[in-house]
Amino acid sequence: MTTLLTIVLVVLAALLIGLILMQPDRSQGMMNNSNIFDNTKEPIEQLTEYVAIAFLVVAVLFQIIR
């Protein structure tokens, strides 16, 4: 069981790193004040959140089972 969780944890970590690196650069957006109150998220941001939550859940399960 720990081997399976380790594999899932490594895959999620690699996926999370890739998703974070693929996100658009926001440094140019700070100059434009019209986007301050825009709370809509791009699909890649939502996917990053879901993968991060899955990573944390698997990490906690790994520690409980271990």
Side-chain angles (χ1 to χ4, degrees):
M1 187 68 175
T2 58
T3 305
L4 177 65
L5 286 177
T6 303
I7 292 169
V8 170
L9 199 60
V10 169
V11 169
L12 285 173
L15 185 61
L16 189 59
I17 290 169
L19 285 171
I20 290 172
L21 290 175
M22 287 178 12
Q23 290 194 8
D25 185 21
R26 301 252 174 167
S27 63
Q28 299 296 330
M30 297 305 285
M31 298 294 177
N32 188 358
N33 289 333
S34 65
N35 290 335
I36 291 176
F37 299 109
D38 187 19
N39 288 336
T40 59
K41 294 182 182 178
E42 295 181 15
I44 195 164
E45 292 174 347
Q46 290 178 340
L47 183 61
T48 304
E49 286 181 8
Y50 295 142
V51 172
I53 291 169
F55 178 83
L56 291 175
V57 167
V58 171
V60 169
L61 284 175
F62 183 74
Q63 287 300 316
I64 290 172
I65 291 175
R66 195 172 142 201

